[in-house]
Amino acid sequence: MSRKSIIITVVLLAGLGALYLLSDAPLPVDVTVAEKGEVKSFIEERAKTSLPRVYRIAMPLNGRVLPITVEENETVSEGQIVASMDTSDLDAEVAKARYRVEQFARKIVEQSDTRLEDNSLVQFDEFLKSMDLTVEAASKQQDASKAKWQYARDEFDRKYQLFKKSALSESELNEADLFNKQSEIDYQKDILTWRSLQAIQSAMQIGKISILKYKEKKELSTAVLQEEQKEAQSQLDQLLRDQKRATMRSPIDGTILTRNYSNERTLAAGDVLLEIGRLQDLEVEADVLSQYVGNIQTGSLVDIEGPAIGTQSVRGKVKRIYPKGFTKVSSLGVEQQRVKVIISFDQSLWKQLKAQQRSLGTDYRVRVKIYTEIKQDVVKVSRSALFRNASGQWQAYVVRNNKAILTDVETGVMNDFDAEIIKGIQAGDRLIIAPSMNLQPGQSVEPQVIREL
């Protein structure tokens, strides 16, 4: 079509429109009927399913993991083995550590056995008692020998004086001299015996002290061995813990969500092997614009829908509202401040999914309608029948006697589809849907009721 033809067509259409408006023919309009019912205000957002807790099975230490046979989406029970490490080297270390502990135990038993020392001390005590008596007897014998020698010496001196006076024979003097010398020799012998016994007594006391010192040394060695045994036992306990951790078990009755490795390989401590969760604890995570989240309360009703759920929506409730917001870039590249809201599923979800032979997992995309206010038995109209004038006043065209009557209205709870009317419209009134900009107040109209919008 040429440019000239387009201009002619537009002019003709404009002329026909103007002619129609100037005529008295009623304008055909679609109308909706105000009625009593329920109106809800809601916040609609994209969301995703999530789990409140995901259990991660990670490598407990550096080593080689054996092939992992459990599959994703496989159900496991609490305590079930889900992964294992090659523990041959660790088993050898455990055997060495256990042998060390046993060695220390044997040494401690040997060092703690002081029966020989105790018996020796008892014998030494008896010997010392006997030696004390012997030394005492030798001391008394020495005193007696000294007295005897002193007597023999005095007797020799007395007889020597008598001999000088020719009152005693020479043989008697010689006999006294012999007795004196023999007594002196006996006295010296007893001194030597007494001192020898004292030396033996001192030696026995030193021997007893040596045994006591040796016993103390053994006790000290036992204490040192006990400390070394504790250290060896601690190392063994750590190896046994590592050995136990090398067999990884499921902490819950749940489902394998992710399996990062399947074949045998060497991995570092901390590498995540599996993720396990309880699908029956599924919830929904929605990022709501911060300017709207103030209208949401814990316990607010929610409708959850989407292809992942099926043809019917599922009811839920707001479980938790995070206290801290975050910045998120929208699909249009606009930075938005949002707040995370957690929604719990109604338990009817699982019956509904089972009836539809569907399954639901974590990180599935859904949509949510979080209801911020619900009013029952109020006058409600289609949202498309309302518009604002230049001053911001809500208005609507009400059809009365086939005339379009411009009416100011006061609204209450509102959503994208329905609006509560507090003032200006009664139940049963007919309102023009999406009125034309050319519609004039009081203009004749030909209404056609639309039952479903």
Side-chain angles (χ1 to χ4, degrees):
M1 184 180 290
S2 66
R3 182 176 179 184
K4 182 177 179 180
S5 299
I6 294 174
I7 294 173
I8 292 172
T9 302
V10 171
V11 170
L12 288 173
L13 290 174
L16 289 173
L19 181 63
Y20 181 83
L21 291 174
L22 292 174
S23 69
D24 293 331
L27 178 67
V29 293
D30 294 331
V31 298
T32 182
V33 180
E35 59 184 10
K36 287 273 191 175
E38 179 185 73
V39 181
K40 304 175 182 178
S41 63
F42 59 84
I43 299 169
E44 191 171 12
E45 283 287 354
R46 292 195 306 172
K48 65 177 181 178
T49 59
S50 64
L51 286 172
R53 184 171 181 184
V54 174
Y55 297 83
R56 292 175 174 83
I57 306 298
M59 287 288 288
L61 57 155
N62 297 333
R64 192 166 187 82
V65 66
L66 298 176
I68 300 174
T69 57
V70 291
E71 301 283 349
E72 291 175 336
N73 204 36
E74 180 179 337
T75 57
V76 293
S77 57
E78 182 178 352
Q80 178 180 336
I81 297 175
V82 292
S84 300
M85 289 181 60
D86 180 2
T87 60
S88 54
D89 294 339
L90 189 58
D91 294 342
E93 292 295 326
V94 167
K96 289 180 183 178
R98 183 175 282 114
Y99 178 71
R100 284 190 65 210
V101 172
E102 292 172 354
Q103 273 190 321
F104 281 120
R106 286 194 293 270
K107 289 180 180 179
I108 288 172
V109 170
E110 293 174 0
Q111 291 292 327
S112 300
D113 187 4
T114 58
R115 289 177 296 177
L116 179 60
E117 290 78 7
D118 293 339
N119 291 336
S120 298
L121 287 173
V122 171
Q123 292 176 359
F124 265 93
D125 287 337
E126 294 298 326
F127 289 155
L128 285 172
K129 288 179 183 178
S130 177
M131 185 57 65
D132 289 341
L133 295 174
T134 302
V135 170
E136 184 179 359
S139 177
K140 291 180 178 179
Q141 178 64 37
Q142 174 199 221
D143 293 339
S145 299
K146 182 178 180 181
K148 180 180 177 182
W149 174 51
Q150 288 177 346
Y151 170 77
R153 188 177 55 190
D154 293 341
E155 185 67 15
F156 174 75
D157 291 341
R158 185 180 66 77
K159 287 185 177 182
Y160 180 72
Q161 295 297 327
L162 291 175
F163 176 75
K164 287 197 303 183
K165 294 177 180 180
S166 300
L168 188 70
S169 64
E170 184 177 358
S171 60
E172 289 177 324
L173 179 63
N174 290 337
E175 187 176 335
D177 183 40
L178 179 62
F179 179 66
N180 177 39
K181 291 179 179 178
Q182 286 180 340
S183 297
E184 183 179 5
I185 292 171
D186 290 340
Y187 172 58
Q188 295 297 330
K189 285 171 63 178
D190 289 340
I191 289 176
L192 290 174
T193 301
W194 174 62
R195 289 178 178 174
S196 298
L197 291 173
Q198 280 185 320
I200 295 172
Q201 184 186 38
S202 297
M204 292 185 70
Q205 289 174 341
I206 292 172
K208 179 181 178 180
I209 292 172
S210 298
I211 293 174
L212 289 171
K213 292 291 184 182
Y214 181 71
K215 185 178 177 181
E216 289 178 2
K217 184 178 179 181
K218 286 186 70 174
E219 290 173 351
L220 180 61
S221 298
T222 301
V224 172
L225 288 172
Q226 287 173 342
E227 292 300 317
E228 291 177 343
Q229 185 191 36
K230 288 180 181 179
E231 182 180 354
Q233 185 64 50
S234 177
Q235 293 175 352
L236 174 59
D237 292 342
Q238 179 63 51
L239 289 170
L240 290 173
R241 284 194 294 270
D242 290 343
Q243 192 179 47
K244 184 177 180 181
R245 290 171 183 158
T247 301
M248 290 154 273
R249 302 175 182 272
S250 173
I252 58 166
D253 294 336
T255 302
I256 302 296
L257 304 176
T258 305
R259 183 181 68 173
N260 295 324
Y261 304 100
S262 58
N263 297 327
E264 183 175 345
R265 65 179 63 201
T266 300
L267 297 172
D271 283 354
V272 177
L273 305 175
L274 300 165
E275 291 184 348
I276 303 175
R278 289 169 48 90
L279 292 181
Q280 54 267 45
D281 294 337
L282 267 179
E283 55 192 21
V284 174
E285 182 181 299
D287 298 335
V288 180
L289 288 169
S290 58
Q291 61 263 38
Y292 299 145
V293 79
N295 298 324
I296 302 174
Q297 303 293 327
T298 301
S300 295
L301 294 178
V302 182
D303 278 337
I304 307 164
E305 57 190 19
I309 300 296
T311 55
Q312 297 178 343
S313 64
V314 176
R315 182 55 58 90
K317 287 185 179 180
V318 173
K319 178 181 178 182
R320 184 170 66 256
I321 303 170
Y322 277 61
K324 183 179 179 181
F326 61 95
T327 301
K328 184 177 181 180
V329 179
S330 71
S331 58
L332 299 177
V334 179
E335 282 193 356
Q336 298 173 330
Q337 196 69 15
R338 292 184 175 265
V339 177
K340 199 171 292 297
V341 176
I342 303 300
I343 301 160
S344 60
F345 278 106
D346 188 88
Q347 289 303 309
S348 62
L349 165 73
W350 304 107
K351 292 181 180 178
Q352 181 174 317
L353 291 175
K354 185 176 180 181
Q356 299 180 37
Q357 295 183 343
R358 303 178 67 92
S359 61
L360 187 64
T362 185
D363 290 330
Y364 282 35
R365 183 63 62 187
V366 294
R367 291 195 68 85
V368 295
K369 288 181 181 177
I370 305 173
Y371 295 104
T372 57
E373 190 174 1
I374 301 175
K375 284 194 174 181
Q376 306 283 347
D377 196 28
V378 297
V379 176
K380 70 173 185 176
V381 299
S382 172
R383 175 71 175 77
S384 60
L386 301 179
F387 56 90
R388 289 182 186 270
N389 61 17
S391 61
Q393 172 66 47
W394 284 106
Q395 294 180 318
Y397 278 106
V398 180
V399 177
R400 292 192 177 98
N401 299 322
N402 291 334
K403 298 287 186 181
I405 308 301
L406 183 61
T407 306
D408 291 341
V409 296
E410 183 180 340
T411 60
V413 176
M414 187 181 297
N415 58 45
D416 292 341
F417 307 100
D418 301 311
E420 175 196 6
I421 302 299
I422 298 174
K423 185 178 178 182
I425 296 175
Q426 301 296 323
D429 287 347
R430 295 179 298 171
L431 288 79
I432 298 176
I433 301 170
S436 170
M437 295 292 293
N438 297 322
L439 182 63
Q440 299 298 319
Q443 184 176 344
S444 296
V445 293
E446 183 182 341
Q448 181 180 355
V449 177
I450 304 297
R451 297 297 179 187
E452 293 184 4
L453 298 180

